Amino acid sequence: MSGKNSGMDVAMLGALVEPNRMAIVELLSNGPLTVGEIANRLGLSQPHASKHLKVLSNNGIVEVKPEANRRYYKLRPEPFQALEYWATSFKKDMERRFDSLDDYVQEFQNKRKETNEK
């Protein structure tokens, strides 16, 4: 794998490390919710939920959509697409490394077998 992070935002990952923020993301994966709905479902105070939503918003993970007197939070797909792309490229690199290791082990076993047959 190259030294590039393929558009992966490390700050976004840092924002997701906090358990309450991860729980919010999991809730929002089912659709948009208000701060009050998020707070109620997670047993948080509204200010506490708002604090976490601000971090998620500042890191581009959620966006706010005002409707009448409510503000709905929803996930933005782009950060998760970047995460998926990064994870896939990492997986491909690891598979290539394991394939190389398999080739090496097979070559080693063949040489060992040839040596034992002599």
Side-chain angles (χ1 to χ4, degrees):
M1 221 166 97
S2 68
K4 298 178 184 176
N5 63 15
S6 308
M8 189 63 211
D9 184 355
V10 176
M12 187 218 24
L13 289 176
L16 292 173
V17 169
E18 204 284 330
N20 287 314
R21 291 194 286 267
M22 183 61 83
I24 290 170
V25 167
E26 290 173 2
L27 275 178
L28 293 176
S29 70
N30 295 316
L33 296 169
T34 65
V35 177
E37 292 169 327
I38 293 167
N40 287 338
R41 292 185 190 184
L42 295 179
L44 301 173
S45 67
Q46 280 196 0
H48 198 202
S50 292
K51 176 184 167 186
H52 289 302
L53 285 163
K54 183 175 181 179
V55 172
L56 293 171
S57 181
N58 288 344
N59 283 283
I61 298 168
V62 300
E63 63 186 21
V64 184
K65 182 179 179 190
E67 283 186 18
N69 63 346
R70 293 180 179 233
R71 296 168 49 117
Y72 286 88
Y73 288 83
K74 72 176 197 170
L75 294 178
R76 294 183 65 243
E78 298 85 2
F80 298 98
Q81 290 166 345
L83 178 59
E84 180 181 27
Y85 179 82
W86 176 80
T88 299
S89 67
F90 182 76
K91 180 182 174 190
K92 287 178 183 176
D93 188 54
M94 293 307 295
E95 286 172 351
R96 183 186 53 77
R97 290 178 187 201
F98 282 127
D99 288 346
S100 293
L101 179 60
D102 287 342
D103 292 344
Y104 175 78
V105 168
Q106 186 63 43
E107 183 180 322
F108 178 78
Q109 287 174 340
N110 289 343
K111 286 182 181 179
R112 191 170 181 197
K113 184 178 179 182
E114 289 173 6
T115 302
N116 288 341
E117 289 175 355
K118 291 182 182 181

